[in-house]
């Protein structure tokens, strides 16, 4: 008999500042790469300069969230984890968080407080849908809206 596990996938919201950072990393790299045709000793340096861009691209491509049964799984490059939805006590809808683990690419999102004062910041592309599905599983979670975190959608 097959088990029917419901998996809901949520891509991460990508902040606009991320594009600025990518261009800021890429333009000097292109400049060094073009110079390396003229000066062969710059080839190793241009390869080393490409590493931050690859790291940013890896984070950009892999950041996502999933709700599987009663667990939330998050992933962002080397940051991976999960949390049980029944251990969540408070969800704060916030801008620019300064606490917890941040597997997110945007500044608007939600801080999830779970277990004994542990926090994680998530920024799904569709936060209202994400929150609604969490509250279906555990409706005793307190939701706190700070500033205009979700009103721009």
């Amino acid at each position: 008999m097959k088990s029917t596990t419901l998996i809901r996938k949520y891509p991460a919201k990508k902040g606009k500042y991320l594009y600025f950072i990518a261009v800021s990393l890429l333009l000097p790299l292109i400049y060094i790469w073009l110079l390396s045709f003229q000066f062969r000793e710059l080839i190793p340096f241009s390869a080393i300069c490409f590493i931050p861009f690859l790291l940013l691209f890896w984070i950009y491509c892999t950041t996502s969230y999933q709700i599987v049964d009663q667990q939330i799984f998050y992933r962002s490059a080397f940051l991976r984890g999960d949390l049980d939805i029944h251990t969540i006590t408070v969800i704060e809808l916030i801008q620019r968080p300064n606490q917890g683990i941040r597997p997110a690419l945007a500044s608007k999102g939600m801080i999830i407080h779970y277990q004994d004062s542990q926090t994680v910041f998530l920024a799904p592309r569709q936060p209202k849908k994400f929150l609604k599905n969490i509250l279906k599983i555990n409706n005793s979670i307190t939701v706190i809206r700070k500033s205009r975190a979700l009103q721009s959608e």
Side-chain angles (χ1 to χ4, degrees):
M1 189 162 77
K2 288 185 177 181
S3 78
T4 57
T5 302
L6 183 60
I7 299 173
R8 293 185 179 104
K9 295 183 181 184
Y10 300 90
K13 184 188 310 180
K14 279 115 172 130
K16 293 175 184 158
Y17 68 91
L18 197 63
Y19 299 115
F20 175 73
I21 292 171
V23 169
S24 298
L25 286 172
L26 194 58
L27 286 178
L29 179 67
I30 291 171
Y31 179 72
I32 292 170
W33 182 70
L34 291 173
L35 280 178
S36 68
F37 287 120
Q38 202 169 20
F39 304 103
R40 297 285 179 203
E41 62 273 2
L42 289 178
I43 291 175
F45 182 69
S46 65
I48 290 171
C49 290
F50 197 60
I51 292 171
F53 182 76
L54 288 176
L55 179 64
L56 185 66
F57 187 70
W58 181 34
I59 293 169
Y60 183 85
C61 291
T62 61
T63 302
S64 65
Y65 316 106
Q66 290 183 355
I67 296 177
V68 181
D69 292 330
Q70 299 182 6
Q71 296 273 94
I72 296 174
F73 292 91
Y74 57 87
R75 178 180 177 190
S76 179
F78 49 84
L79 285 176
R80 296 174 188 192
D82 64 288
L83 57 113
D84 185 10
I85 293 175
H86 292 289
T87 64
I88 298 173
T89 55
V90 176
I91 296 178
E92 291 181 67
L93 306 175
I94 193 168
Q95 289 183 336
R96 295 178 188 86
N98 57 1
Q99 63 188 35
I101 301 170
R102 292 202 56 197
L105 299 172
S107 60
K108 290 182 183 179
M110 55 186 74
I111 296 178
I112 298 177
H113 299 267
Y114 63 101
Q115 289 179 347
D116 296 325
S117 69
Q118 292 186 12
T119 60
V120 64
F121 177 76
L122 304 179
R125 191 179 299 155
Q126 299 173 322
K128 291 178 183 178
K129 187 176 175 184
F130 187 74
L131 184 62
K132 180 181 160 188
N133 286 322
I134 291 172
L135 291 174
K136 279 182 187 176
I137 297 169
N138 183 0
N139 61 0
S140 66
I141 297 171
T142 305
V143 178
I144 301 171
R145 289 175 175 25
K146 290 193 176 181
S147 75
R148 291 182 269 158
L150 289 180
Q151 293 177 5
S152 66
E153 296 171 39

